[in-house]
Amino acid sequence: MALQLNHLNACQRNAVLFSNGPLLILAGAGSGKTSTMAYRMAHLITERHISPREILGLSFTNKAAMELKERVKNLVKKSLGRKAVQGLSITTFHSLCVRLLRAHAERVGFQSDFTIMDQNDQLDVLKQVLRNIKIDERRFDPDVILFEIGQAKNRFMSPEQAETFFLESKRMSPDYGIAAASSYSRYQEQLKILNAMDFDDLIFYTVQLLESQADVREKYNFQFRHILVDEYQDTNAAQFKILRLLTERHQNLCVVGDDDQSIYGWRGADPSHILEFGRHYPSAQMIALEQNYRSTSRILEAANSVIAQNRNRYPKKLWSDRGVGEAITEVILEEDRAEAEFVAKEIFKNGQEKNRPWSDFAILYRSNSQSRVFEEALRRHTIPYKIVGGLSFLARKEVKDVLACWRLIVNPKDDASLRRIINWPARGVGRTTLEALGTYAFEKKQSLFEVMGQSSVLNPLVPKKSGVILEFWALMTRLGRSLTELPAEAEAVVTWAKDSLQQLQARQAVEDDCDDAVQAVKKWENVEELLHSIGQFSVEGEAQTGRQFFSEFLNRMSLEAQEAEKDEEQKDDSKKNQVTLLTLHGAKGLEYPVVYMVGVEEGFLPHKRTIDEAVDFGEERRLCYVGITRAKDMLFLTRVKNRIRYGKPMPRTPSRFLTDIPKDLIVRQDESDIPDPTSKEQQVEHESRIKNYLAEIRANLMKRPSG
Ligand code: ATP
Ligand code: MG
């Protein structure tokens, strides 16, 4: 059976049937770009009898690549049967590069079994380089330098070429630029000695391979006779070069994208690739898609009015015949928890009244750290959810590490927590040392921490480490003591907790675990969110001291983590039917019937980082556009008047992007006067559940031999 194209519109059909040569599909959100690309691939295979091996599809994330492949498979299956797509490559740039480099590593000076370095290895190498060239890592943060080196590689800049780039970078001061410039080449040399590449090298060396080795370039030009790229607006300079080199001979390059959805500028993505496609490929044809099939016209109009404020964009006319649809609701709440509670209740109500499955709903936020309160509220309402592209808040490493430090302070007998954080940040206390102390502690029926406070034991047992261990012991003991002296008030405990993180050098520890400076900032936001959650905590029963208050808080966190874990285990039963929580970045290309965009406030959207840097808000505005255009039927924009920060309410202002949406599209709902959104019965039920859990946890703690 021939591939059916009759429900595609004329422009989409033209793109599918387009013969050969460069083709650009530039169109707004939800206009069927990705669908058209899937159809074009299927058409090449079924009607033009191109072997699937000769087609290369590139997508932005593994998830997107997998989904696309599935769609093409299904389309082809109807015509040719199951095996017809064998050999078809639909993948990400990075996976493609690994494949090419493994096959030809020696051509760029590596062996084919090169290792791909993780972040820690990368940092170790860079720190060694910094020591060698006498750059003090206490003055120059290795994470920052690593991030900048990555930026240079994304632009395919050799160490020599990168010098000016570093010196002119607005992200760092000139002396940082000099440090980055002097370490880049040494860092690359060192990686070569180790036969290792970092993530950005995969792209970098592939460019080098294809540029310098004519026969290799020829081979892949011949092999991939049709290359199709989704989300082309987010390609960086190095990826752009790869595409040019791979299509040098045939120029059968079909790219699909939307300049208004370019949201990876901070990683070197360059929307001029899509805007100047016609200049790069003079014989290119361009097809615009104008009908949006995803959203109601009201949602579309809101999105259009936000993005219209950006300069330097390709003008588009997007329309939808899905009808005006329901009003967009802007909801204003008093504070964080009320916002989360509102969203959870709405989802519950909406799900029941309209018989919508949970999978119809998505909660979108700007930063991962915003997920915590929503997770808590969804769990409270027993609504299943999944976090896309991330772990649930309490399962994140930095959150678990900080909690382990605090648990140890509150309960020095907690050996498990001690083992978790004794080297967080690195103190050089290795496995052998811990084993020696563990054996001794076991024999004497003492906890590890107790043993660590005794110099008479440490000196003979682990002489070299005794100093650092005693220091650690003293610090934890001191922190424990000051906690006891506090009143049982959130504000005092937050101040203590903040101070404890400083003394524990937690920021350093978090940064040591990170790939780059941006990731470090995000992870630290999670730790700060944990501090905020102390500020919002209130004890169920009675607490006399700060220690009791804090201990109750830690119990609550254990309880929440257990619940999240349980949900995780049950995931298989209800795999698909869950509310989705994800960041605006992660939502690109996806769609949901009901979308809650939360925290639509200055500081989140635009993000405070971009406000501080006073850069143009183009990219933040595009993120807002991406968020709004994920919604098919219903869109809620929520914000709060105050966020509890460090135990105190901080006033918040609405996002500047909200004011660009015409008032007649929005219904405003001010819920901030309503005292408590939960019903009395729900509250009683919730409280009794919490009490049961706390009792359970206490019982478990009692059972532990060390506690
Ligand atoms: P984004 O910019 O968000 O990546 P997109 O342009 O890639 O969006 P798709 O995800 O391909 O758009 O399509 C959006 C929705 O419209 C999907 O649900 C898709 O099935 C539907 N759609 C696309 N083309 C048509 C069509 N011709 N008729 C009906 N529905 C369509
Ligand atoms: Mg798409």
Side-chain angles (χ1 to χ4, degrees), residues 340-341 344 371-385 387 392-395 556-568 581 685-686 689 693:
E341 184 60 29
S371 78
R372 183 188 63 84
V373 272
F374 293 94
E375 288 182 59
E376 204 180 281
L378 290 169
R379 277 201 298 273
R380 204 161 41 232
H381 287 267
T382 53
I383 298 172
Y385 67 88
I387 303 222
S392 82
F393 182 80
L394 290 169
R556 174 73 68 81
M557 291 296 114
S558 313
L559 174 161
E560 297 267 339
Q562 278 180 12
E563 275 190 52
E565 222 168 87
K566 238 190 289 164
D567 292 349
E568 198 70 25
L581 272 70
E685 190 206 311
H686 175 55
R689 263 174 58 198
Y693 266 114

Side-chain angles (χ1 to χ4, degrees), residues 5-10 12-13 25 27-39 71 230-231 233 256-258 261 289 291-295 318 322 587-591 625-626 629-630 632:
L5 303 179
N6 41 18
H7 72 278
L8 299 185
N9 66 40
Q12 291 177 324
R13 218 165 21 238
I25 304 175
S31 55
K33 296 182 296 295
T34 307
S35 316
T36 304
M37 183 171 149
Y39 268 95
R71 282 176 82 167
D230 199 4
E231 309 278 2
Q233 74 279 358
V256 166
D258 176 4
Q261 294 184 68
L289 306 176
Q291 180 168 1
N292 171 300
Y293 291 95
R294 180 180 292 149
S295 311
L318 259 194
R322 291 209 47 221
K588 194 169 67 154
L590 308 177
E591 58 187 23
Y625 174 76
V626 167
T629 53
R630 299 309 96 198
K632 291 169 134 179

Side-chain angles (χ1 to χ4, degrees), residues 380-411:
R380 204 161 41 232
H381 287 267
T382 53
I383 298 172
Y385 67 88
K386 64 164 179 261
I387 303 222
V388 169
L391 293 166
S392 82
F393 182 80
L394 290 169
R396 292 173 196 160
K397 183 175 179 300
E398 61 280 12
V399 172
K400 285 171 110 172
D401 288 337
V402 168
L403 285 172
C405 290
W406 287 341
R407 282 205 179 96
L408 182 64
I409 293 171
V410 170
N411 171 23

